[in-house]
Structure formats: structure tokens, C-alpha cells
Amino acid sequence: MRMGERATTRDVVLRLDDLSLPARRLTVPSRLRVSELLRELPLPVSSSSFYLTADGRPLPLTAPVASLPPSGSIQLRLRALRGGGGDGGATGAESRDCYLSMYLAKKPDKADPNEARLSRFTCCALSGEPLAAPAVADRLGNLFNKEALVEALLHKRLPKALSHIRGLKDMIPIHLHPKPDADAAGEEVRFQCPITGLEFNGKYQFLALRKCGHVLSVKALKEVKSSACLVCHKEFDEADKMPLNGTDEEVTALRQRMEEERGKVKEKKEKKVGNGLSGSKHATAAAAMAGADKLENGKKGEAPSAKRFKASDHAPAYANKEVYASIFTSSKKSDFKETYSCRSLPLGRN
């Protein structure tokens, strides 16, 4: 469908489930309002009978297309018809149950739980963009595009709800099996179970094997009893099964296991530090061993004997050793003679 050309455009995936029609991919101007988009759609009835939703929430008519979520997926919904109150309308009800079910239709201002569940399985939990390889899961089973998560970690922009993700060790690489021809048809659900073919849309339970990262449906693992991955045949334990977007009970169990694993790693590090020697302690121990070697042949507390200095050993080659030594030592006693009037003593003794 071709619309008015603008400087900036936006790709939008329009889902037509209420009309039982396949999804369509549109390219529309970013400044186009939601009300204008509705008027330009080829609808079977007036555009006032429809409204648009994104992630289960209605879009305001005055909102521009540029404000749509990053996934670019919107749903065309049919408003609940009113009637049966004396206003000329017909309920078509033949029983009270049918009458009540028509008037208890969901209000447009409430979030659709099915849309929210679908978004969790098809979009990144951080950026809202469609899931694409390489994809990762955290230890609680949330799904992310790896590039978006790594960038948020580097710039420290993770929300408080994801504070349990501290680094790359908290990311588990996963392998999602693509659904054939999903991209060409513009379908929002683009992955499926490689064994059973069940769509990765939130209606079925899926598990990720932590050792190899392959994503399989719970039904596949129940039907094929095996301790090896059904895709790569790598062995795994029961503890390696991690539910993706699980229930509150499953998320609580995963959080408890995460804390236990972190506690074991911390205890192992402390034990390793306690058994080893730091650099300064090691240097002190080496010095003590060197000192023990020096005292091995001597007595404890005594300094090692130093070689006695002799001036004659350091005399120049052209000097007489005895004359050179006399500069640093006193004269010999035999060189002085005693008389009746005086006594000649060596220098320093009189």
C-alpha cells in the first residue's frame, strides 16, 4: 500500500487477526498520526469501528507513527458492538450467557495479556526490538539480543529489574530455530521448536539447555526421553534445563539456584586465597629461608665474619707495599730505641 511520501518513513507490521487476514508490512511516514493511518487503510467498514494496539495497549489517535515501539508491530482490533438496549440494535442472543459474553468484552483501555505474552517471546526484554541472532538468556529465563544487553552493561544503563545481570557470565547463549518463510511473510513469530514445530509464541512452554544453548519445547523433551540434546546430541543433566519466560514459581526457583551458584563460587575463591600466599608474604618467606641458609654453618645470633682489611693488598703496582702500608698502620716497635733520658714509644702510646 502506498501512502503520502514524507522525508522520513517507518516500517510497520500490521496484524489483522480480527479480520482473519495475514499480517502486512507497511512503509508509512513517521509523522503520520494513528488516526490518519486508520483512515488510509482499506477497511470493510468505517475506520471508527477499529482501533490499533501495540504490546496489548491501545494507541492514542493523536500519537505519531514514530512513537510506535521498536518492534514496529501493531494490531488492528475491532471495537465491541453495542446494542440490545432499546436503541434499535440487535444482540443476536438466544440465551443469557451469549448476552453477557457480548457485553463483557474486554475494554480497549486494558492491556491484552496475549499481546504481552507474545511480546515476551518475540522481542528483546531490554530494547523491545525483535529477537535476532545472536540471542542470549539471563539466569532467570529472560530473552535478549546480545548486542543490546552488552551495550547496556558497558554504559551501565541496565534497569533495576535487571540488576542481577552483572557481566558476561550471567548471559547464556541460546540457539533459536527459525520458522521457515516467516520473514518473507512478515510474520511476527519467527521461531519454532526444531523437533515438534510448535511456534515460539508464548502459548507453549520452552526450555533452554544451558550446556549447548538449544531451545526446545517441553513437549519434545517429554515425548523423546533422552539425556542428550535432540539437536546436537550433547549430554545434559536435569539441572541444565532452564525455563524461558517461566511462571512466577519457576522464576523463584531459578533465582534461588542463581544465588546458590554465586555462593559456591565465592566460597571457592575465599578458600583458594586462604590456602595461597600473597606476593608480600611470599617475599618475606623467601627472605627468611635465605637467612636460615646463612646461619646454617654458624651460630645463631652471630654475624658472619668479614675479611680483615690489609693495606698492603691494595697497594699500587709502582709502590712499595711496606711503605704504602705504613700510611695506614703505626710504626713497628722495633724501630724505636730506648735511652737513659727518654723512652721512644710507638705513636699513639705515649
Side-chain angles (χ1 to χ4, degrees):
M1 178 177 56
R2 185 176 183 84
M3 299 184 181
E5 296 183 357
R6 301 285 181 89
T8 305
T9 60
R10 176 73 185 275
D11 291 335
V12 177
V13 177
L14 180 64
R15 298 179 58 194
L16 306 171
D17 296 346
D18 286 7
L19 299 180
S20 300
L21 295 175
R24 298 183 182 180
R25 185 178 295 274
L26 308 176
T27 301
V28 297
S30 299
R31 296 182 180 179
L32 194 69
R33 298 183 182 276
V34 173
S35 59
E36 297 172 347
L37 176 61
L38 277 173
R39 286 196 298 267
E40 295 194 24
L41 294 174
L43 302 175
V45 294
S46 174
S47 61
S48 60
S49 301
F50 296 89
Y51 64 97
L52 296 174
T53 64
D55 296 334
R57 297 184 178 275
L59 295 174
L61 294 178
T62 58
V65 175
S67 64
L68 294 180
S71 61
S73 176
I74 57 177
Q75 172 86 10
L76 181 66
R77 304 306 301 269
L78 182 63
R79 295 185 184 275
L81 298 178
R82 301 295 181 181
D87 55 358
T91 64
E94 298 179 357
S95 66
R96 181 175 176 84
D97 293 338
C98 184
Y99 180 87
L100 291 176
S101 63
M102 183 184 68
Y103 278 90
L104 292 179
K106 292 183 179 179
K107 297 181 179 180
D109 57 345
K110 290 187 178 180
D112 188 349
N114 295 326
E115 290 288 335
R117 181 181 58 197
L118 178 63
S119 178
R120 293 175 63 192
F121 278 81
T122 57
C123 299
C124 172
L126 179 62
S127 65
E129 299 177 351
L131 280 177
V136 295
D138 63 6
R139 298 190 183 187
L140 302 184
N142 299 311
L143 303 174
F144 303 90
N145 287 333
K146 185 177 181 180
E147 183 179 354
L149 186 56
V150 171
E151 184 178 354
L153 281 172
L154 291 176
H155 296 88
K156 297 181 180 180
R157 294 185 306 200
L158 278 179
K160 188 176 181 180
L162 301 177
S163 59
H164 60 278
I165 303 177
R166 303 175 183 176
L168 296 177
K169 292 183 178 180
D170 295 322
M171 303 181 195
I172 302 173
I174 59 174
H175 305 289
L176 296 169
H177 186 74
K179 183 180 176 182
D181 301 329
D183 292 336
E187 297 181 9
E188 190 170 3
V189 179
R190 299 182 296 112
F191 304 104
Q192 66 179 16
C193 174
I195 307 301
T196 61
L198 295 177
E199 291 187 349
F200 195 66
N201 56 7
K203 294 181 180 180
Y204 311 99
Q205 293 179 321
F206 277 78
L207 299 172
L209 303 180
R210 299 179 62 176
K211 285 188 176 180
C212 63
H214 285 103
V215 176
L216 302 170
S217 64
V218 174
K219 183 179 180 180
L221 295 176
K222 286 183 178 180
E223 292 181 352
V224 183
K225 302 293 183 180
S226 176
S227 60
C229 175
L230 303 179
V231 179
C232 64
H233 308 293
K234 187 174 184 178
E235 295 289 334
F236 66 88
D237 301 327
E238 191 68 23
D240 294 325
K241 297 179 181 179
M242 184 180 68
L244 298 179
N245 290 325
T247 62
D248 293 341
E249 294 77 9
E250 291 173 336
V251 173
T252 301
L254 289 175
R255 188 181 296 275
Q256 183 178 359
R257 185 170 69 175
M258 178 183 66
E259 298 298 336
E260 291 176 356
E261 291 176 352
R262 287 178 174 175
K264 291 180 182 179
V265 172
K266 185 178 180 181
E267 182 180 354
K268 187 177 180 180
K269 287 184 179 180
E270 292 177 352
K271 186 177 180 180
K272 185 176 181 181
V273 172
N275 292 335
L277 290 174
S278 62
S280 59
K281 291 183 178 179
H282 184 70
T284 305
M289 293 176 64
D293 293 339
K294 290 181 180 180
L295 295 176
E296 184 176 357
N297 296 326
K299 293 183 180 181
K300 186 176 181 180
E302 294 182 359
S305 58
K307 187 177 180 181
R308 188 173 181 181
F309 174 82
K310 291 183 179 181
S312 59
D313 296 338
H314 302 276
Y318 53 84
N320 187 291
K321 291 186 177 182
E322 293 183 359
V323 176
Y324 183 78
S326 65
I327 300 175
F328 304 96
T329 58
S330 58
S331 301
K332 295 181 179 180
K333 186 175 180 179
S334 57
D335 296 339
F336 297 93
K337 296 181 179 180
E338 296 182 359
T339 62
Y340 67 93
S341 61
C342 69
R343 175 177 294 178
S344 178
L345 296 177
L347 184 64
R349 296 184 182 181
N350 52 0

